[in-house]
Amino acid sequence: MFLHLEVDAAVSTPAPTSPPVTDPEADGRTGRRGESGCMTTNIVIMQLAILAVVLESDLGRRKIGWFRVGRPIIGVVLIVPFFFTSLPTGENDLLLQGSGALAGAALGLFSVCPLLVSVEYHPNGRSRRRASSHGAKPAAVSRSGVGYAAIWIGVTAARLAFAYGAQHIFPVGLGVFLATDHLSDTGLTNGFIFLSVTMSLFRSLGLWIRGRACLAQAGHSQAIVYAHRHGIGAQGNDQAQWNG
């Protein structure tokens, strides 16, 4: 009977509880299962949309005008709100998102550098279909080809490959990394979004700066030529009057 009471007491007495043990691998596995599919789909749609807008705007010989510069920006403004949900403010999340933005800015400026895109002055700023139009204003014209397309396609492919790997190849490893470094899935997704946004914005900024510089240089050169010709004409008139 005593033994029976002891067993009853042992059964009825709750066992001491220990604090839950955090398993980064388990946390990563769970988080990856729940959110990576959505992240991959969002990134694929956004990256391909931005790539299509940029290549359509820039490949070949194109006038650098406000519509040309602003078209990708408008596309970004319309596309990003569908995928941007929140802004994690944890220290590491902010660093991750900021790094994505800085990387995008550097890539955007590099994509329109003189090695990949040439910019020249054209006295008739109309498009190729209207090159014979009268009254057309001078404009800066850019010319880009395989190198420019390779940069944008390569960066887009790398982002999509990472998104695919996050879902199918290394979901557990990525989850462990995020859990260990106190990073969120949203922060990682935002890093890719900011990279895309700043790359497009700084591509436009770089084109606008180079276009303005080209026009300013052409205007200065034309002013020098005009002054030189005017001076020669004045000297010729003076000489004619003197001979007369």
Side-chain angles (χ1 to χ4, degrees), residues 37-61:
C38 180
M39 182 185 74
T40 302
T41 302
N42 289 349
I43 289 178
V44 167
I45 295 173
M46 185 184 68
Q47 303 300 337
L48 294 180
I50 293 177
L51 177 65
V53 171
V54 169
L55 293 184
E56 193 279 330
S57 299
D58 293 344
L59 284 183
R61 179 181 176 275

Side-chain angles (χ1 to χ4, degrees), residues 127-150:
S127 63
R128 289 168 291 182
R129 290 182 292 251
R130 302 167 60 187
S132 61
S133 299
H134 298 287
K137 295 182 180 180
V141 177
S142 70
R143 188 186 300 273
S144 61
V146 176
Y148 180 82

Side-chain angles (χ1 to χ4, degrees), residues 182-202:
H182 307 289
L183 296 168
S184 65
D185 285 306
T186 303
L188 178 63
T189 302
N190 287 352
F192 281 104
I193 292 176
F194 293 159
L195 190 151
S196 301
V197 169
T198 54
M199 186 174 180
S200 183
L201 293 179
F202 277 81

Side-chain angles (χ1 to χ4, degrees), residues 21-121:
V21 179
T22 302
D23 183 359
E25 185 171 345
D27 291 345
R29 193 181 301 113
T30 303
R32 294 291 94 197
R33 285 196 196 108
E35 300 183 25
S36 60
C38 180
M39 182 185 74
T40 302
T41 302
N42 289 349
I43 289 178
V44 167
I45 295 173
M46 185 184 68
Q47 303 300 337
L48 294 180
I50 293 177
L51 177 65
V53 171
V54 169
L55 293 184
E56 193 279 330
S57 299
D58 293 344
L59 284 183
R61 179 181 176 275
R62 300 297 180 94
K63 171 187 173 182
I64 302 178
W66 284 111
F67 182 70
R68 158 93 181 283
V69 172
R71 193 187 313 173
I73 299 177
I74 296 173
V76 166
V77 171
L78 294 177
I79 293 170
V80 169
F82 290 97
F83 308 105
F84 185 80
T85 57
S86 62
L87 181 68
T89 57
E91 181 179 357
N92 290 346
D93 280 326
L94 290 177
L95 289 175
L96 179 61
Q97 294 166 113
S99 298
L102 290 176
L107 288 169
L109 291 176
F110 176 72
S111 71
V112 292
C113 71
L115 293 174
L116 302 174
V117 179
S118 63
V119 176
E120 58 190 20
Y121 173 81

